[in-house]
């Protein structure tokens, strides 16, 4: 099994419940429009993100999930860790920077400066995020790993390199999940974990069009400390059409 962590999240356990549901991305199936739709709940038309260059985007008026958490509760603490710079800096960024909250430490952001390649940068993201999940317990967090996408571009979805990249990301995800479970066990906290991706890859590499293999995705939801809310039990609409 190349993704045992994701499989365990779907199965759930004695003190948790998991579920996976299909998700279909709206073309163009590029990273910028895909993640902008997922993280803001907007269509491509609403956020005006169509390509990875973010030309003419309207993300300032389409707040991301972490910003919505803060605006709903101004005392909430949030964090963002991502290998791809578009999550945290120009072009974009997809998630609002909220510099005032960054200055006070209420919103923490990490983008690795590793020169040793994407797998090393992903590992830095995981280490930074795990420490803060375990020791600080933010109210909301977004963590992004780039390794599977990079391998899909270079080697294609049918390659052994792609499967190995998925396994590496799955192992990094295991460390994040372990940190959350330790919070639950030590402090009795209730957590909701969501895992998804913005697109697939063609067998020979690349994406961006409307083929089934690049439009098809998934959403795993996993509740630690209880049962999933009823709103997460049904069959969702296309994620890019939220």
């Amino acid at each position: 099994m190349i993704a045992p962590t994701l499989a365990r999240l779907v199965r759930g356990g004695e003190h948790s419940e998991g579920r996976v549901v299909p998700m279909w991305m709206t073309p163009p199936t590029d990273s910028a429009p895909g993640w902008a739709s997922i993280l803001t709940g907007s269509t491509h038309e609403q956020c005006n993100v169509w390509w990875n260059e973010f030309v003419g985007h309207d993300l300032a008026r389409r707040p991301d999930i972490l910003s919505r958490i803060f605006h709903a509760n101004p005392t909430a603490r949030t964090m963002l860790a991502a290998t791809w710079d578009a999550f945290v800096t120009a072009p974009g960024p997809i998630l609002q920077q909220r510099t005032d909250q960054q200055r006070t430490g209420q919103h923490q952001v990490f983008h690795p400066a590793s020169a040793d390649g994407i797998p090393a940068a992903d590992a830095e993201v995981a280490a930074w995020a795990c420490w803060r999940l375990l020791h600080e317990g933010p109210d909301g967090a977004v963590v992004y790993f780039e390794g599977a996408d990079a391998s899909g571009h270079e080697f294609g979805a049918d390659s052994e390199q792609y499967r190995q990249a998925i396994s590496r990301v799955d192992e990094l995800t295991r460390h994040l999940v372990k940190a959350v479970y330790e919070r639950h066990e030590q402090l009795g906290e209730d957590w909701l974990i969501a895992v998804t991706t913005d697109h697939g890859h063609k067998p020979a590499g690349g994406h961006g069009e409307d083929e089934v293999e690049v439009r098809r995705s998934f959403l795993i939801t996993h509740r630690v400390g209880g049962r999933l809310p009823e709103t997460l039990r049904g069959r969702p609409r296309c994620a890019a059409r939220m």
Side-chain angles (χ1 to χ4, degrees):
M1 183 182 297
I2 65 173
T5 301
L6 300 191
R8 285 194 295 271
L9 289 176
V10 173
R11 287 197 305 268
E14 183 179 357
H15 302 292
S16 64
E17 183 180 13
R19 181 174 173 82
V20 61
V21 290
M23 193 167 82
W24 291 89
M25 305 307 297
T26 300
T29 50
D30 282 325
S31 294
W35 282 114
S37 288
I38 290 170
L39 292 172
T40 68
S42 306
T43 64
H44 298 344
E45 291 84 357
Q46 288 171 330
C47 60
N48 204 36
V49 178
W50 296 95
W51 316 108
N52 287 348
E53 291 76 15
F54 292 91
V55 175
H57 73 75
D58 198 22
L59 289 170
R61 295 197 294 177
R62 310 302 304 188
D64 58 88
I65 185 171
L66 296 184
S67 298
R68 291 186 182 194
I69 290 172
F70 169 73
H71 293 308
N73 176 13
T75 67
R77 294 171 297 114
T78 56
M79 65 165 244
L80 163 65
T83 311
W84 187 32
D85 55 359
F87 274 71
V88 297
T89 61
I94 298 172
L95 288 96
Q96 295 178 4
Q97 292 180 313
R98 292 169 44 216
T99 53
D100 287 344
Q101 286 78 54
Q102 284 194 53
R103 280 193 288 268
T104 63
Q106 193 174 354
H107 178 54
Q108 299 186 66
V109 177
F110 178 72
H111 174 59
S114 176
D116 297 326
I118 290 176
D122 278 350
E124 287 186 40
V125 165
W128 185 92
C130 283
W131 193 95
R132 279 153 184 82
L133 284 171
L134 178 59
H135 295 287
E136 298 180 359
D139 298 289
V142 170
V143 181
Y144 170 80
F145 300 123
E146 193 174 353
D149 182 57
S151 292
H153 275 287
E154 186 173 359
F155 302 108
D158 282 350
S159 67
E160 178 61 25
Q161 293 93 330
Y162 189 57
R163 288 186 285 273
Q164 291 174 359
I166 293 173
S167 292
R168 285 194 297 271
V169 169
D170 185 80
E171 176 63 11
L172 296 177
T173 303
R174 183 180 70 83
H175 292 290
L176 300 177
V177 173
K178 182 175 182 290
V180 167
Y181 264 88
E182 289 189 18
R183 296 281 305 189
H184 169 68
E185 291 168 2
Q186 295 172 14
L187 302 171
E189 292 179 345
D190 189 356
W191 285 75
L192 176 65
I193 300 171
V195 182
T196 189
T197 187
D198 58 322
H199 57 69
H201 282 274
K202 299 177 185 179
H207 58 86
E209 290 77 41
D210 62 353
E211 296 90 347
V212 169
E213 60 264 35
V214 298
R215 290 191 61 205
R216 185 167 51 198
S217 184
F218 62 88
L219 172 65
I220 296 172
T221 52
H222 183 91
R223 176 84 174 272
V224 182
R227 293 175 61 81
L228 288 169
E230 289 299 324
T231 53
L232 296 177
R233 290 167 171 270
R235 192 178 183 90
R237 299 179 182 180
C238 299
R241 298 186 185 275
M242 286 188 289

